Amino acid sequence: VEVVALKDSRVRYTTLQNWSDNIYNLVTKRAHAYENSYVEWLDANLGSFITMKYPSVYLKGKHAKANILSVAFANNNQNQDAGAKAIHFAPNTSSTIISKSISKGSGKTTFRGLVQVQKGAKGCKSHMRCDALMLDKESKSDTIPSLKINEEDVQIGHEATVGKVGEEQLFYLMSRGLSEQEATTLIVSGFFKQFTKELPLEYAIEFNKLIELEMKNAI
């Protein structure tokens, strides 16, 4: 997939994928953002045996902006290797990369993020964040961020969190009458809320239903 955002344009590209568990999902997705353009990339990865996907935005014009929001769910025997790249070529450009992933059973998630600022791209701003949730002792998660900064006058930040479902959260929800399965599914849906709220209503409903089915090992 290749997106070209010309001067003063605004582009949103949304991908919601749910593959069979024998699929190798190896893709290239990139966007070119020119002067004063804004590129939004919403990317959801469910299913497949292996996914390797890193949507990229090349910020080529001054004041161009990129916002990449990526989510992944790795169930048994699945490997979700996903993330994003933002490469700043022009001054006063900005980017945000947010990744949320959940691993369950023998599933594994890996976040690979790259922010690169080329020489001469002064005044750039970028923030990269990765949140990973592991639902049991067998699941795995890795974060591999990369920052390559070739200019001094920039503001770049990165943060990452890795954790499990809180026992206090489960106890509270179960005390309100939910089963452990229902409580965990509700917490997972809340974890992905930042992504879901950006989707059109019919897609948000479909995405939440897919997550519910994944939690039940129904697909």
Side-chain angles (χ1 to χ4, degrees):
V1 175
E2 190 160 44
V3 175
V4 179
L6 298 180
K7 182 180 178 181
D8 297 327
S9 65
R10 181 185 180 109
V11 181
R12 169 179 282 195
Y13 192 100
T14 302
T15 305
L16 177 55
Q17 295 182 327
N18 178 36
W19 296 107
S20 170
D21 60 9
N22 62 349
I23 293 294
Y24 287 76
N25 182 27
L26 314 173
V27 295
T28 299
K29 299 193 174 189
R30 64 186 176 192
H32 305 270
Y34 290 92
E35 183 178 349
N36 204 40
S37 64
Y38 181 38
V39 175
E40 293 182 278
W41 212 297
L42 303 179
D43 190 62
N45 300 291
L46 300 168
S48 83
F49 179 60
I50 295 177
T51 287
M52 299 187 75
K53 184 198 295 183
Y54 322 102
S56 306
V57 181
Y58 296 81
L59 298 139
K60 295 182 173 180
K62 60 183 180 180
H63 300 293
K65 297 180 180 179
N67 185 14
I68 307 171
L69 179 53
S70 172
V71 299
F73 191 113
N75 217 323
N76 288 317
N77 302 315
Q78 294 176 344
N79 185 351
Q80 298 284 359
D81 197 316
K85 302 177 184 179
I87 296 92
H88 296 253
F89 291 93
N92 300 310
T93 50
S94 61
S95 64
T96 302
I97 296 173
I98 298 176
S99 172
K100 289 182 170 289
S101 65
I102 291 178
S103 50
K104 179 176 180 283
S106 57
K108 179 181 179 181
T109 60
T110 301
F111 166 74
R112 298 181 195 270
L114 169 66
V115 173
Q116 185 168 338
V117 178
Q118 304 290 55
K119 189 67 178 177
K122 297 180 181 295
C124 291
K125 297 180 180 179
S126 182
H127 181 250
M128 180 164 51
R129 177 182 176 89
C130 170
D131 297 321
L133 188 64
M134 294 182 290
L135 299 185
D136 46 51
K137 295 180 179 179
E138 290 74 33
S139 54
K140 298 179 181 179
S141 182
D142 289 331
T143 59
I144 308 174
S146 181
L147 304 175
K148 299 181 180 180
I149 314 303
N150 298 309
E151 185 57 66
E152 293 183 0
D153 182 21
V154 296
Q155 298 180 38
I156 309 294
H158 167 259
E159 55 185 312
T161 63
V162 178
K164 61 179 182 178
V165 175
E167 293 182 3
E168 291 183 0
Q169 291 175 304
L170 283 176
F171 176 80
Y172 176 83
L173 292 172
M174 292 171 68
S175 70
R176 264 60 182 174
L178 296 180
S179 67
E180 184 175 356
Q181 173 79 46
E182 292 170 333
T184 304
T185 300
L186 187 61
I187 292 170
V188 167
S189 296
F191 182 77
F192 281 147
K193 183 180 179 180
Q194 188 172 1
F195 175 84
T196 309
K197 70 179 183 180
E198 297 294 335
L199 296 174
L201 179 60
E202 61 271 26
Y203 289 106
I205 293 172
E206 182 74 11
F207 180 75
N208 282 329
K209 186 64 177 178
L210 287 173
I211 293 299
E212 183 180 343
L213 291 172
E214 286 280 3
M215 293 297 295
K216 294 178 179 178
N217 288 329
I219 55 176

